Amino acid sequence: MAATTVEEVLAQVEKDEAEKLKLITVHKELELQFDLGNLLAIDPNAPDGKAFRQKNRAEFLRSLARDNTQLLINQLWTLPTQRVQECVTATLPQPSTRLPREKPVPKPRAPTRWEEFAKLKGIQKKKKTNLVWDEVHKEWRRRWGYKRAKDGTKDWLIEVPGTADPSEDQFGKRMKAKKERVAKNELNRLRNLARAHKGKVPGVGLTPTSQPSKGELGKALHVAKRSTASVGRFQDKLPKEKEPRNMGKKRKFQPLVGDFKAEKSKQLEILKVMDSKKPKMDVTKAVNKQMRAEDAEASAKRRKPSKKGKGGRDRGGPKKGKGKGPAKRGKGKRK
């Protein structure tokens, strides 16, 4: 085994360092123009046409793209860097090249009815805090939503007004009023959307009409029941309630994993029809077509006029002549 001297080891190290330096060093006659904000590099150097024709074109283009990308990465390392969660990140400057938009600039949204009213009256929107003080529970609670402050639906006792019916369910009355408010807000939202898009209110649910018909109310009830997470599977039905018509049918798809025998037979039937030279004949359709043709031919024969008989007159028709009786024919001439 030959001994390795220190000079040989140093020469090999210098050679490896030169190879590494060669990988990140790219020489260009003209310097590239960089837009680091957009990670864009513009190469003003003309490509070598001779090398492009002689060498493999894909390899030549790949090498050119690699050199320009290396110059762009070298420029990125000149930017100020910082370490974020064991990663070195660079802060990009503001882009200097204006790139064209793929789509047109969106149009400004049309103001809603409330926004127009607020602008007319000078009403300004005030930001409210999400937490308010609840005097009953003596703690800060949310203003809206679950476990909100001053939640009237959690009261275990409701005072009956003096003008109300003592036997009336006040809890049910409160829930009904809340549902009506929610429905009214949804109706106003749909109206605002229709007004903003200059179109009609969607036909799903209760349409904003002064006197909705029975069919519209049934359709709205059906849509409201199907708007749950279970698609109305656990919703109770009203007495004598009927399913609305013309609501569309839900498409049914075969399961992805199931009976492989049925799928195999279906695919074999398709291949059998495709492989057969003669088209598949529908016997019922062919018989019906033949019967219709025979009926049409028989009806045409019945409508066809009768042929003329001998003597130039129709069969069964009146005889030709001036008198009532038959015409007299003699051998001699008439005087």
Side-chain angles (χ1 to χ4, degrees), residues 224-258:
K225 284 188 174 182
R226 291 297 182 93
S227 299
T228 58
S230 61
V231 198
R233 186 173 300 176
F234 304 105
Q235 298 296 323
D236 298 332
K237 288 188 176 182
L238 298 176
K240 299 181 181 179
E241 181 183 357
K242 297 181 180 179
E243 290 291 335
R245 299 180 180 179
N246 302 326
M247 289 299 295
K249 295 182 180 180
K250 188 175 181 181
R251 295 185 297 173
K252 295 183 180 180
F253 301 94
Q254 296 294 335
L256 298 178
V257 179

Side-chain angles (χ1 to χ4, degrees), residues 296-321:
E297 185 178 356
S299 61
K301 285 182 179 180
R302 288 195 297 268
R303 291 194 299 269
K304 190 175 182 180
S306 58
K307 297 182 179 179
K308 294 183 179 181
K310 296 180 179 180
R313 57 188 178 86
D314 295 337
R315 294 180 181 177
K319 297 178 181 179
K320 294 183 179 180

Side-chain angles (χ1 to χ4, degrees), residues 12 17 33 56 88 115 135 152 161 180 183 208 256 288 305 310 313 316 327:
Q12 185 65 30
E17 292 294 334
Q33 302 174 6
N56 188 5
V88 179
E115 291 175 352
E135 292 291 344
E180 289 179 355
L256 298 178
N288 293 338
K310 296 180 179 180
R313 57 188 178 86

